[in-house]
Amino acid sequence: MPGAFNRQIADPGRASGAAFSEALATANNQAVVSPSESDATAPAVRTFTTEKGTVWTITDIAASLTDSDKRILGWPSTDPATGMLAAMVAQDRNDGFLNGPMTNDYIVGNPAKGIPGLVDRQPSAVMTQERVAALLDRLSQGVSRFA
């Protein structure tokens, strides 16, 4: 489908950007241009266009998260739920939805301000009450430490 748009998450701990590009090319059975830069200097977001016009945008989680994000999320982690949250935050940073530090409103949402929280955008299996409490606890520790 020409002009189709797909977002993918790159986790450098699992595969390099070039290997990920090759996997996309194999999955699509189409040629994908590999980035020329090394993984160490690769940008947080890379976009590739296939011969048929499908645009793939790959977000590098580690390069997209701030140090504060990583601390609040507990990143890096082998926990799949933490990975899903980190991916959402990384995409939000690169899309411009999250500017500045994470806030309580960003995590739990604020309908009065029209802000959907991570709680609203993640499955309940990911955003358990325990996980939300842990995120808010780490957020409050960071705020009081750096305020």
Side-chain angles (χ1 to χ4, degrees), residues 44-106:
V45 177
R46 291 180 274 175
T47 302
F48 305 96
T49 304
T50 65
E51 291 175 359
K52 294 186 178 181
T54 301
V55 177
W56 289 87
T57 300
I58 301 171
T59 299
D60 182 329
I61 295 171
S64 300
L65 297 176
T66 66
D67 289 341
S68 177
D69 294 342
K70 292 173 185 176
R71 184 187 47 74
I72 292 167
L73 293 168
W75 181 263
S77 174
T78 57
D79 175 45
T82 299
M84 288 177 67
L85 290 174
M88 176 72 70
V89 173
Q91 288 177 338
D92 285 349
R93 286 230 175 262
N94 292 318
D95 291 345
F97 180 74
L98 177 60
N99 295 307
M102 268 197 251
T103 63
N104 188 56
D105 286 348
Y106 176 77

Side-chain angles (χ1 to χ4, degrees), residues 20-33 49-54 56:
F20 197 75
S21 298
E22 291 168 12
L24 289 177
T26 302
N28 283 331
N29 199 18
Q30 301 170 21
V32 176
V33 179
T49 304
T50 65
E51 291 175 359
K52 294 186 178 181
T54 301
W56 289 87

